[in-house]
Amino acid sequence: MNGIRRILARFPLHLAVIVICLIWLTPTVGLLVSSFRHKDAVFATGWWTVFRIPMDFAQFRLDNYIQVLTAQGMGRAFLNSLTIAIPSTIIPITIAAFAGYAFAWMEFPGRQVLFVIVVGLLVVPLQMTLIPLLRLYNRVGLAGTFLGIWLAHTGYGLPFAVYLLRNFFGGLPKDLFEAAYLDGASPLTAFTRLALPLSVPSLASLGIFQFLWVWNDLLVALIYLGGTEKVAPLTLKLSAMVQSLGQDWHLLTAAAFVSMAVPMLVFFTLQRYFVRGILAGSVKG
Amino acid sequence: MSEFLSQVFTTLLAILLGVGGVVGLFLGMEFLIGFLPQRLQPKVRPWAYIGPTLLIMGIYLVYPTLHTLYLSFLDERSQQFVGLKNYLWTLTSPEMHIAFRNNLLWIVLMTLFSVGLGLVIAVLVDRVSYESVAKSVIFLPMAISFVGASVIWRFVYAFKPANVPQIGLLNAIVTALDGQPLGWLVDTRVNNLALIAVGIWLQTGFCMVILSAGIKSIPREILEAARVDGASEWRIFWQVIVPMIGSTIAVVATTVIINALKAFDIVFVLTNGQRGTEVIANRMYKEMFSFLNFGRASAIAVILLLAIIPIMAANIRRFQAQEAIR
Amino acid sequence: MARRMYWILLTATVVAGLLLSSCAPQTVTVTVPVEKQVTVERTVEVTVPVPTSRGVVTVLGVWGGSEFEAFAASVEPFTKETGIGMAFETSREQATVLVTRVQAGNPPDIAILPQPGLLVDLAKMGALVPLENIVDMDQLKKDYSQAWIDLGSYDGHLYGIWFKGALKSLVWYNPKAFQEKGYQVPTTWDEMIALSDRIVADGGTPWCIGLESGAASGWPGTDWIEDIMLRTAGPEVYDQWVNHEIPWTDSAVKRAWELFGQIARNEQYVWGGTTGVLSTNFGDSPRPLFDTPPGCYMHRQASFITGFFPEGVTAEDYDVFAFPSIDPQWGVPALGAGDVVVMLNDTPEARAFIQYLASPRPHEIWAARGGFISPHRGVDPNAYPDELTRKQAQILASAEVFRFDGSDLMPAAVGAGSFWTGVMDYVGGKDLDAVLQAIEKSAQDAYK
């Protein structure tokens, strides 16, 4: 196929992708543009009107961002968010990887039933767990500790993690493990050297989701950790910038982007693990 | 500055201890298992592997569920036994009927579109060079906190009277086409759809990421072979790709259905269930924390848990089929 | 190449975040106690207390942003003098957090509640500490009118001290716009309706109403109905209504709703029509008052709305008139609301804290910063930044007929639930009888 025919043939593909991306992006772009405008301007005219005279820089201001970024205690909140999010991501994934593998490849009584219960627990609404768990925490002294919140996020994140990983491990070809056992590998080695590396894309997806969920969480941190300055994460800090009735909501526009920076970076970083074909060609044939 | 450094140090230490602790736990268990006689090991090992999962989920999910079940038979302040009164209310009250209807809408529409679109997008972007950019764009909504998302969509749905410049994207398009601006969140004809659209916007990225990982695990040779054989992309999609990632689609669909059942944040923040947009989880939250009626809130939660049984049943059947093939 | 970029970007973000935490001031407001050093140069012996750190009082409130800063400033002298720090947690989901922590056994020492209904609920749970032996009751009776003391009490015990107040029953207008068109401030309901008709005839829109408020949408409508109730049925019937001694389907209640609907459901009377009323955020709704030409001429709202006016609007651009009387025998009663401070843990620090909040000083500090009025009668009127605010504070503290916002007094299932939903449905076009029956049904469940 010569060059132009190729481009034309692929045109519908590119068109579809680009149109979908634009639709998905537009609402967020609206927020981005609004975060650079004065709140009275935001109420008066649509955000797209800034493009009429894009060179008129007077209509843009950094005030919202400055106010958000230089607010007192912002750095501390950022550190707190990291302290909460990183273990709350790694711990459940680790635990779920072992469990998912066991559910997929090990024989033990009650395997199916237990697994179905695990999946069923996906539906437990978070709000119903708050009071009994906080009561428990108070009795054992976990309230207000970072360990407490790591465990809480682990608890909430495990059902989906186990579900996803079990599905992935279950899809691995049996011959793979048989070949490994024939070679004298122990079950642990089969898991860590064979199954885990193959599951990197799934692990990466899980990592992103869990990190995101924890990073953007407000309620769980507020309940189990408390909202005091010392431990409050970024989400709490940013929401406290707005007054009780919603005055200063324009700060939320900038706050949303400030808060989004880290998760997006994590996503970009983990993107490279979504590569194809690690499994391809390893056993087939 | 020194206080700052000590904070950073504490942070790093906390992270290392937390993570190291868990890894150490499993390695430690493996180590201990090594002391058992050979034929006992395969019997004990699975329990070691799933042990922490069962323990943590038992504490964090099962115990509160049982507690909730217990509360659902008591009155609002959990002082007196009232039998099935709360369940009766849940199943007969008009507000709950509206909620049930809405959740059904959520389940059908959100699952269909999030999974469908996610799949289509995953397949499409697999074949363009700017794949990671496109995926990031679709994924971006998930990275935004709910508070941020609510502000975004307020801007999309904002209403202003016809004679004044519009600030809401949808109404701007509508008025540009000579229509009358709509109150997207208050007009009962469209507000449920408006909320579900936000849900789809948020969930599609999730579906796409997982489905994309699934698609990546299809060996390239198979796809190439099909193309060489002259199959059209359409046929390849339905007869090669979809069957091969069937179980992944099922996982994604199950998760999205459950999320639709549990839909809360979007409704809470944008309409709080007003004007006919109530959903089960939002009502449960209201009963629990605003109205302080613990009995009713618990009954609603139990109904929610029961609603998942059909989904679990479908999953059981799928696993059994999957294992049979192996 | 791209791979390195990712790592560089990731590192850069983390480093930036860490740098931020070092550049931004590390001090945290009002949690660090202060030691005072005093040097005495004369030979006369003077004993000056040198406070040592005596601990911390934990406070849970809903205030954020500049509200929190103002409150922190009000509490600063307390910390300086007693050495007790304040650890303030704020959340708009205060009800969730508070209920959870009370049930779980680790409530905050102090909570600042925006509704007395929540005070009653917590008192019923046994979660609150009675204050009769903690604050000076004789002084309190001088500082607050009996109405306010009753509002902070339940079952014969005092549980709450009122800190911040809001006066409702106000109609805001643009005096310049009125002057231009030759409109007169109405003093009766009929005059107000006549004025509205006149504005419509002149081609304008008389009213701006905005009911949207996220999870709380509908509440501004409840204020309208309460104001009208007071003026059509009088304070006793109002009390009966709030206590559910008369049903929601009672003719007095129905009439109040109908009068509200006369304005809110009239497409020509309201900016944006009924869709505008339902969709416009309450904080954004007064903006058209200040447009040229004005998008509307009148806006009924509480005293705190000045915080939402667009930048550039000064005290000369707006004025208020009292929500006019409807039935002359009931005159012009005052409807108000406020934030009440309650104690959940009886500690010496919490006691000192609440005693301090019962004194005029913290009220005066916040009053001077604006956006604040207090029902405390001991507050120096000159602390308020302008005459308008001073007048409102005076009405709040000492109005002849004063009633608290009804929806804040009712059990939450009604006052923060079916009442709000009813307002939204009614303005949305639902039949009034159906609306009232629905609220009545929920009220029967909720009042115990």
Side-chain angles (χ1 to χ4, degrees), chain C residues 221-241:
Chain C
T222 68
D223 286 357
W224 271 87
I225 294 172
E226 287 149 16
D227 261 329
I228 295 176
M229 241 343 235
L230 276 174
R231 286 157 177 69
T232 55
E236 275 91 38
V237 175
Y238 179 86
D239 291 336
Q240 288 171 344
W241 170 54

Side-chain angles (χ1 to χ4, degrees), chain B residues 12-169:
Chain B
L12 287 172
L13 193 66
I15 294 175
L16 277 170
L17 282 178
V19 175
V22 173
V23 177
L25 176 70
F26 281 104
L27 292 179
M29 283 197 292
E30 223 4 279
F31 181 67
L32 287 176
I33 290 178
F35 288 125
L36 292 173
Q38 273 294 340
R39 72 185 170 76
L40 266 188
Q41 284 191 19
K43 292 209 199 295
V44 174
R45 183 174 284 110
W47 296 105
Y49 276 35
I50 65 173
T53 299
L54 293 180
L55 182 66
I56 292 182
M57 289 204 297
I59 297 175
Y60 283 88
L61 298 171
V62 178
Y63 159 60
T65 304
L66 294 174
H67 179 86
T68 302
L69 187 62
Y70 168 63
L71 284 187
S72 70
F73 296 112
L74 302 177
D75 70 4
E76 14 344 286
R77 293 300 146 77
S78 310
Q79 284 154 352
Q80 273 185 324
F81 182 74
V82 292
L84 293 176
K85 189 168 112 174
N86 294 321
Y87 287 99
L88 207 62
W89 178 88
T90 306
L91 294 170
T92 58
S93 100
E95 294 99 339
M96 287 307 293
H97 286 167
I98 295 179
F100 290 137
R101 178 205 74 191
N102 287 338
N103 273 102
L104 210 56
L105 211 59
W106 274 83
I107 291 174
V108 169
L109 291 178
M110 188 157 99
T111 311
L112 210 62
F113 283 98
S114 305
V115 179
L117 275 175
L119 187 57
V120 166
I121 296 172
V123 168
L124 289 179
V125 299
D126 186 38
R127 304 173 51 213
V128 293
S129 54
Y130 45 94
E131 174 179 6
S132 50
V133 172
K135 277 166 85 169
S136 307
V137 166
I138 308 290
F139 183 75
L140 187 66
M142 274 202 87
I144 307 175
S145 66
F146 267 112
V147 170
S150 72
V151 180
I152 291 181
W153 284 88
R154 263 188 225 290
F155 279 128
V156 176
Y157 291 138
F159 167 89
K160 280 191 132 187
N163 55 330
V164 171
Q166 292 296 325
I167 55 170
L169 187 59

Side-chain angles (χ1 to χ4, degrees), chain A residues 29-53 56-67 248-254 257, chain B residues 155 160 165-168, chain C residues 287 311:
Chain A
V29 168
L31 187 69
L32 182 65
V33 169
S34 302
S35 69
F36 288 109
R37 299 176 83 204
H38 187 262
K39 78 171 161 177
D40 292 329
V42 165
F43 186 77
T45 58
W47 55 266
W48 51 88
T49 58
V50 301
F51 294 121
R52 286 206 200 119
I53 4 150
D56 177 12
F57 288 129
Q59 61 185 336
F60 296 123
R61 45 221 312 272
L62 284 177
D63 291 11
N64 295 337
Y65 283 97
I66 294 178
Q67 218 178 325
D248 296 337
W249 63 267
H250 58 286
L251 291 176
L252 287 180
T253 57
F257 282 94
Chain B
F155 279 128
K160 280 191 132 187
Q166 292 296 325
I167 55 170
Chain C
R287 283 171 183 267
E311 229 172 74

Side-chain angles (χ1 to χ4, degrees), chain B residues 1 3-4 7-8 76-79 85 89 92-95 132 147 154 159-161 163-164 181-186 268-276 285-286 288-292 294 296, chain C residues 6 18-19 21-22 26 93 95-97 99-100 103 118 121 124-125 212 214-218 271-272 275-276 278-280 412-414 416-418 420-422 424-425 428-429 441-442 445 448:
Chain B
M1 190 65 186
E3 202 203 317
F4 158 68
Q7 274 173 36
V8 176
E76 14 344 286
R77 293 300 146 77
S78 310
Q79 284 154 352
K85 189 168 112 174
W89 178 88
T92 58
S93 100
E95 294 99 339
S132 50
V147 170
R154 263 188 225 290
F159 167 89
K160 280 191 132 187
N163 55 330
V164 171
L182 276 182
W184 294 93
L185 292 175
V186 298
F268 177 68
V269 166
L270 287 177
T271 63
N272 197 20
Q274 302 257 28
R275 308 291 294 137
Y285 178 88
K286 267 189 212 162
M288 180 114 221
F289 294 110
S290 300
F291 307 167
L292 298 179
F294 300 141
R296 250 188 221 169
Chain C
Y6 294 143
L18 296 178
L19 277 177
S21 61
S22 63
Q26 286 301 303
E93 276 121 81
T96 311
V97 181
V99 169
T100 305
Q103 290 286 312
L118 195 51
D121 285 331
K124 278 197 197 145
M125 273 191 215
E212 197 275 323
S217 296
W271 186 83
T275 312
L278 290 170
S279 315
T280 311
V414 177
S418 50
W420 288 350
T421 311
M424 298 289 280
D425 284 339
K441 191 151 170 276
S442 87
D445 273 336
K448 288 280 161 70

Side-chain angles (χ1 to χ4, degrees), chain C residues 226 229 236-246 248 403-411 414 447:
Chain C
E226 287 149 16
M229 241 343 235
E236 275 91 38
V237 175
Y238 179 86
D239 291 336
Q240 288 171 344
W241 170 54
V242 167
N243 292 324
H244 198 228
E245 285 159 26
I246 56 173
W248 282 81
R403 283 299 182 275
F404 200 91
D405 181 317
S407 55
D408 285 348
L409 288 171
M410 298 173 186
V414 177
Y447 282 83

Side-chain angles (χ1 to χ4, degrees), chain A residues 28 107 124 154 176 199 234 236 261:
Chain A
T28 314
E107 296 289 336
V124 173
T154 302
L176 197 66
S199 68
L234 203 56
L236 202 52

